[in-house]
Amino acid sequence: MRASSPCFGCPDHAPGCHNDSCPHGWKEYEAATQKIREAREAFAKTWSYESGRDRGRTLKLKARQKHRNSRNR
C-alpha cells in the first residue's frame, strides 16, 4: 500500500518545506515510504526475483499497461 503524500492539496506547500517541522505529517509519510523501500529491497533478495520467476507476469502486465495507455491517447 502506498502512503499518500501530505503535500497533496497543502496550502502551505513551498520549495524546501519537506522537513521534520512540517505540520502536515511529512515525518510520518517519510517513515511509511521508507518501510515500503525496505520491503522492496527484501523482496529483491528473494529466490523468485533472482530467478526471474515473476518476469513473465511483469512483462505481460507492462504490455497490457502499454496497450491501455496507447488507447487513451
Side-chain angles (χ1 to χ4, degrees), residues 17-53:
C17 69
H18 300 136
N19 54 38
D20 294 341
S21 64
C22 175
H24 302 289
W26 179 258
K27 193 174 194 177
E28 292 82 12
Y29 172 73
E30 186 63 29
T33 54
Q34 183 62 33
K35 276 186 176 182
I36 293 169
R37 278 189 220 109
E38 289 170 359
R40 286 181 182 154
E41 288 174 10
F43 175 73
K45 296 176 183 175
T46 63
W47 172 84
S48 65
Y49 180 81
E50 290 175 357
S51 69
R53 188 175 114 195

